Amino acid sequence: MANGIRDRVAIIGMGCSRFGERWSDNAEDLMLEAFSEALTDAGIERNKIEAAWLGVCLEENNVGKTAGPLAQGLRLPYIAATRVENACATGTEALRGAVYAVASGAYDIALALGVEKLKDTGYGGLPVRTRGVVADLWLPNASAPGAFAQLASAYQAKYGVSYDDLKRAMAHVSVKSHDNAVLNPKAHLRNKITIDDVLKAPTVAEPLGLYDCSGVSDGAACAIVTTPEIARELGKRDIVTVKSLQLAVSNGEEAQFSNWDGASVRTAEVAAAKAYREAGIADPREALDLIEVHDCFSITELVLMENLGLSDPGHAPFDILEGRYDCNGKIPCQVDGGLKCFGHPIGASGLRMVYEVYQQILGRAGERQLAKADIGLTQNLGGHPHQNVCAISIIGRLGA
């Protein structure tokens, strides 16, 4: 019987490029920037890496359909290299491949790297290409802001939250992320904003305004993983392990049946329950010291607080306004600035989230360091609320 991967895999090195409009750098430059940091952190030679997973979502943009650019750009020693893609969960999918490979005993040391070079497309949002007749008829001219605006409307209708309360809670989400990003030199947007800035901004898709939406950027992040035993042999003393990696994918019920009210992300509820069980967490509100979630829009972060079991149903707006998820709150969320301030180079985002949790656990987060950081959760959401993939990772100190 399967018993999960809790504490069977250690992260011994991580790296993250600076996210932003990296016009003068190509994808290989970004990969090398993240990899160099991770390799130095791990304290190993690159020839010790036995297998690698590359996460790239939109392979047509500057990278390609195979893992060849990873092997070539990093001069990996003729090892197995695999490219993976799973919408906005692509970075976590790359990590899952490397972690499962080590947990299975197939390899001793593996690499996961995610990258995306989006700014060169000249497109304002995430580029969308035709997927064939069925998709084009099913969702003609669908937009991400429009889909998540519907999530906001459904949430407001279900719980009877006033428009003003919901808007102010969403604004608080964005202001919080910008406050945190000011202290992070790797974030794309490092400017403070105010509640009034958010509330008075142009509307993108009612009730979402300009500051309720995350941006687009270029970036890369990576992790080097092994077993806790090998980590000790390498001289690691403060060992960070993977407690859980879980994935849930919509099966069509939300889109095609009437038993979904549109006010939640069902995959997040399912994946969270499995992740907590695998990690041995009975009460996530007490166990988790920090979280990084997929704040593609401010309403997404708000709703996810309930789907992850951190706020009671209908109470997330008020928990947010009371500061529960601020950096000095009960469960700090987006301490690094989140998608809101990093942007969303799709292949990199999942690993970028893990990078922040890893840095916090090891006490390396500088001015944004939390007083207590023993265990953290990251969550990615790819697709629209009614049809998506959700990935969750839980990372913590060995024994925590």
Side-chain angles (χ1 to χ4, degrees):
M1 177 177 289
N3 56 12
I5 59 168
R6 181 183 179 187
D7 288 338
R8 292 170 61 184
V9 178
I11 301 174
I12 57 171
M14 290 205 73
C16 182
S17 75
R18 180 179 58 82
F19 281 39
E21 296 180 335
R22 303 291 297 270
W23 302 112
S24 61
D25 298 308
N26 61 25
E28 289 185 352
D29 294 325
L30 299 178
M31 288 191 284
L32 186 59
E33 187 176 322
F35 176 69
S36 297
E37 181 184 355
L39 198 64
T40 299
D41 184 25
I44 62 172
E45 300 295 327
R46 78 182 66 203
N47 62 10
K48 295 295 184 182
I49 299 171
E50 299 171 333
W53 276 259
L54 171 65
V56 176
C57 184
L58 301 171
E59 83 285 346
E60 297 91 345
N61 298 327
N62 304 298
V63 181
K65 293 182 179 295
T66 76
L70 178 72
Q72 296 157 21
L74 306 186
R75 291 292 189 267
L76 297 177
Y78 295 96
I79 60 174
T82 304
R83 176 186 164 266
V84 297
E85 183 273 315
N86 210 346
C88 300
T90 294
T92 306
E93 190 67 68
L95 179 64
R96 197 165 71 109
V99 167
Y100 279 19
V102 169
S104 73
Y107 300 104
D108 286 333
I109 300 178
L111 169 73
L113 188 146
V115 65
E116 211 82 49
K117 192 78 171 67
L118 295 178
K119 297 303 295 185
D120 295 355
T121 66
Y123 191 83
L126 299 181
V128 177
R129 290 176 170 85
T130 180
R131 291 179 293 162
V133 175
V134 174
D136 289 348
L137 290 176
W138 189 255
L139 282 176
N141 301 317
S143 73
F148 284 89
Q150 291 180 324
L151 178 67
S153 298
Y155 183 90
Q156 183 185 348
K158 179 176 180 177
Y159 294 110
V161 179
S162 74
Y163 179 84
D164 288 344
D165 283 344
L166 186 64
K167 283 287 289 183
R168 292 193 71 82
M170 289 162 50
H172 189 99
V173 165
S174 298
V175 170
K176 164 185 61 66
S177 291
H178 276 263
D179 284 347
N180 294 342
V182 168
L183 303 178
N184 193 340
K186 294 192 175 185
H188 183 172
L189 303 175
R190 301 185 61 201
N191 57 309
K192 280 182 174 288
I193 60 175
T194 67
I195 295 292
D196 281 347
D197 290 333
V198 181
L199 296 178
K200 294 178 180 177
T203 298
V204 175
E206 183 66 35
L208 304 179
L210 178 66
Y211 288 110
D212 291 305
C213 309
S214 66
V216 172
S217 64
D218 304 324
C222 75
I224 298 172
V225 299
T226 187
T227 65
E229 293 75 20
I230 293 175
R232 291 192 189 94
E233 292 173 5
L234 291 170
K236 303 293 182 181
R237 293 292 175 264
D238 200 0
I239 297 177
V240 178
T241 60
V242 179
K243 307 293 183 180
S244 178
L245 276 171
Q246 289 291 335
L247 196 71
V249 182
S250 295
N251 66 1
E253 289 186 5
E254 303 104 308
Q256 300 171 9
F257 296 87
S258 60
N259 60 352
W260 177 61
D261 58 21
S264 65
V265 180
R266 183 169 292 177
T267 54
E269 296 170 345
V270 173
K274 292 180 179 179
Y276 296 146
R277 186 161 55 248
E278 183 175 38
I281 292 176
D283 183 356
R285 302 183 193 190
E286 294 300 322
L288 298 175
D289 295 317
L290 73 155
I291 55 175
E292 291 276 326
V293 304
H294 201 88
D295 56 322
C296 50
F297 301 94
S298 56
I299 186 60
T300 319
E301 179 175 326
L302 184 153
V303 170
L304 286 169
M305 296 304 98
E306 297 179 14
N307 300 157
L308 297 175
L310 305 176
S311 283
D312 292 334
H315 285 263
F318 310 104
D319 291 340
I320 287 169
L321 289 169
E322 289 171 2
R324 175 181 290 190
Y325 304 111
D326 292 357
C327 64
N328 59 353
K330 173 67 176 174
I331 310 173
C333 181
Q334 324 296 47
V335 182
D336 63 350
L339 269 70
K340 178 66 187 72
C341 295
F342 266 84
H344 183 29
I346 311 169
S349 289
L351 280 160
R352 185 270 301 164
M353 293 176 176
V354 175
Y355 175 83
E356 178 64 20
V357 174
Y358 175 81
Q359 295 292 91
Q360 289 283 348
I361 291 171
L362 293 177
R364 301 175 179 173
E367 292 182 86
R368 65 185 187 281
Q369 180 64 47
L370 301 174
K372 183 179 185 298
D374 293 322
I375 187 165
L377 174 147
T378 73
Q379 181 271 341
N380 293 128
L381 183 70
H384 290 172
H386 68 279
Q387 196 171 54
N388 59 74
V389 53
C390 178
I392 291 180
S393 67
I394 299 178
I395 311 296
R397 296 183 192 277
L398 181 63

